[in-house]
Amino acid sequence: FHMSSLEVSEEVRQYLKTPTFDNWQWEDSEIMVLLQVMYTDLDFISTFNIELDVLQYFLYEVYKRYNNIPFHNFKHCFCVTQMMYGLIWLTDLRAKIDSIDLLIMLTSAVCHDLDHTGYNNAYQINARTELALRYNDISPLENHHCAVAFEILEKTESNIFRNLTTDQYKRIREGIIKCILATDMSRHTEILNRFKAILPVFDFSNKDHRDVLMMIMIKVSDISNEARPMEVAEPWLDCLLQEFFNQSDMEKLEGLPVTPFMDRDKVTKPSSQTGFIRFVLFPLFIELANLFPCLEHHIIDPVKKALDYYTEMEKALEREKQNRTQ
Ligand SMILES: COc1ccc(NC(=O)[C@H](C)Nc2nc3c(cnn3-c3ccccc3C)c(=O)[nH]2)cc1
């Protein structure tokens, strides 16, 4: 890669720790180096004796296994990883949990959508795809993302954990599986309720509590586009709807059930977002902010602005529609 991690200025390294980071300004080759910088600046290289060439090979193997689809592509992997990285610094998590758990969280984010085909679990199950068959309809995509991650990690030249003890590797494998499987949105309510239940008595020295927190952190990172500045977030919604419309077009062609919020004849940008922000994003982000109050300003305030923006857009569309019918 033409940009070595040494060339990344101190200013960019600080910017990389904030949720305002704009992924659209960077080439994939530069993003590869920024991912490497995250492992370096969290001291994973020294703490876990990760060789730089193995880390570069790992990141390149990951890069090759993300597909060129509108939303669940390598740039999405970077956005989720960069948000996770920003949350780790904003919440000062390094002072609260072991670095091995931080390594699990960052690596899970890097790998969480590996080889995503652009068709969600409902499609996999309804179309009886190979993945649905292999995983018995149980989170087929997330099981696949995780299996591909460990295919990459099984190869010595890309196994960034190869200098860890067997116990450490076992703990990392268990943690990454838990985190990646937690990104299945059909489990959203289950996981959020588990977190709500332990919040009043949250204890960082309790492994079960830490496990739920790690799952919440990757879930927040995964769907956090609207926490970013509008000029960064809005293009991501266009990409998401493109992918959703591709899927619903295929479902119509194949006579499969069509998911309502993916149907290009039913969905508008504001309609998909106002509901999502009010009923999915806010409840999740507010719970995490209950544990880390500083997140209120960093991720909840931007989402409030996004809700206002899409609510206004929704009203404007309504007025336009009424004018047309009069
Ligand atoms: C409970 O399961 C759900 C709930 C909501 C949704 N998605 C939506 O409501 C709509 C389409 N909007 C939406 N969905 C989003 C965003 C970010 N990720 N994301 C998404 C993408 C793929 C699968 C699931 C989700 C939530 C976003 O900003 N907006 C999808 C699954």
Side-chain angles (χ1 to χ4, degrees):
F1 310 109
H2 67 270
M3 190 176 153
S4 82
S5 58
L6 298 178
E7 287 165 20
V8 179
S9 70
E10 184 48 36
E11 184 197 1
V12 169
R13 297 176 105 111
Q14 286 311 318
Y15 178 39
L16 191 63
K17 296 174 182 174
T18 69
T20 59
F21 194 87
D22 181 355
N23 70 279
W24 302 112
Q25 306 304 322
W26 303 83
E27 299 293 320
D28 285 354
S29 60
E30 293 170 319
I31 284 176
M32 297 295 284
V33 175
L34 294 175
L35 287 168
Q36 192 182 301
V37 163
M38 295 181 199
Y39 279 80
T40 314
D41 285 9
L42 283 172
D43 295 329
F44 293 158
I45 306 300
S46 46
T47 311
F48 301 106
N49 198 2
I50 298 173
E51 293 121 301
L52 222 40
D53 56 325
V54 176
L55 176 60
Q56 285 174 350
Y57 200 102
F58 166 73
L59 291 172
Y60 189 58
E61 287 299 298
V62 163
Y63 176 74
K64 288 189 291 186
R65 292 302 304 266
Y66 273 94
N67 299 314
N68 283 322
I69 50 181
F71 184 88
H72 289 102
N73 51 44
F74 178 68
K75 287 187 189 305
H76 169 67
C77 149
F78 172 73
C79 287
V80 174
T81 308
Q82 191 275 323
M83 183 58 73
M84 176 69 88
Y85 183 70
L87 289 173
I88 286 171
W89 287 104
L90 283 175
T91 58
D92 190 22
L93 218 45
R94 298 170 79 210
K96 298 177 176 101
I97 62 175
D98 300 339
S99 47
I100 197 163
D101 283 342
L102 300 177
L103 178 61
I104 289 166
M105 293 160 71
L106 198 74
T107 308
S108 298
V110 169
C111 301
H112 85 284
D113 270 333
L114 274 167
D115 195 30
H116 197 299
T117 56
Y119 296 91
N120 72 356
N121 284 330
Y123 178 86
Q124 304 293 334
I125 292 164
N126 291 332
R128 300 185 197 163
T129 63
E130 204 184 308
L131 283 188
L133 220 57
R134 185 182 310 154
Y135 294 111
N136 304 306
D137 297 349
I138 301 165
S139 305
L141 277 176
E142 293 74 19
N143 270 298
H144 182 56
H145 304 322
C146 198
V148 172
F150 284 98
E151 278 168 33
I152 295 171
L153 289 165
E154 280 309 304
K155 293 195 294 197
T156 313
E157 65 272 16
S158 53
N159 180 6
I160 55 173
F161 306 135
R162 70 188 194 188
N163 296 327
L164 295 181
T165 65
T166 311
D167 281 356
Q168 284 178 314
Y169 186 88
K170 191 169 171 298
R171 178 168 162 188
I172 284 181
R173 175 165 165 80
E174 180 204 321
I176 291 177
I177 290 168
K178 216 169 263 180
C179 285
I180 293 181
L181 293 188
T183 62
D184 181 347
M185 278 302 285
S186 68
R187 297 181 54 205
H188 175 75
T189 308
E190 166 219 326
I191 296 169
L192 184 54
N193 287 341
R194 277 174 66 186
F195 188 56
K196 279 181 180 169
I198 61 175
L199 254 181
V201 292
F202 194 86
D203 174 3
F204 281 96
S205 59
N206 179 322
K207 181 174 179 338
D208 294 336
H209 290 197
R210 282 198 310 273
D211 283 351
V212 177
L213 174 61
M214 289 161 71
M215 294 195 280
I216 290 287
M217 297 278 283
I218 192 165
K219 279 178 55 56
V220 165
S221 302
D222 191 18
I223 62 175
S224 63
N225 290 329
E226 292 302 344
R228 296 179 183 279
M230 191 45 68
E231 57 277 359
V232 179
E234 190 158 15
W236 276 113
L237 180 60
D238 295 327
C239 297
L240 180 64
L241 292 179
Q242 248 187 61
E243 201 172 288
F244 280 1
F245 293 162
N246 290 346
Q247 174 177 325
S248 57
D249 291 350
M250 277 302 284
E251 287 167 334
K252 289 172 185 171
L253 276 175
E254 295 171 342
L256 295 170
V258 177
T259 315
F261 63 68
M262 294 186 169
D263 188 339
R264 68 171 78 246
D265 306 327
K266 291 187 181 149
V267 159
T268 63
K269 274 168 69 166
S271 71
S272 75
Q273 285 310 78
T274 49
F276 175 72
I277 291 173
R278 285 168 52 214
F279 302 117
V280 181
L281 270 197
F282 268 148
L284 177 64
F285 284 19
I286 286 165
E287 284 314 313
L288 188 60
N290 284 340
L291 192 61
F292 303 110
C294 75
L295 295 182
E296 175 86 28
H297 303 296
H298 291 103
I299 61 169
I300 292 183
D301 288 350
V303 174
K304 283 179 180 159
K305 288 197 186 72
L307 181 59
D308 293 344
Y309 176 78
Y310 287 116
T311 307
E312 277 315 303
M313 195 192 282
E314 205 168 23
K315 284 185 195 147
L317 276 178
E318 273 307 306
R319 278 196 296 276
E320 213 183 280
K321 208 159 72 176
Q322 275 155 12
N323 295 346
R324 268 206 309 275
T325 48
Q326 273 159 4

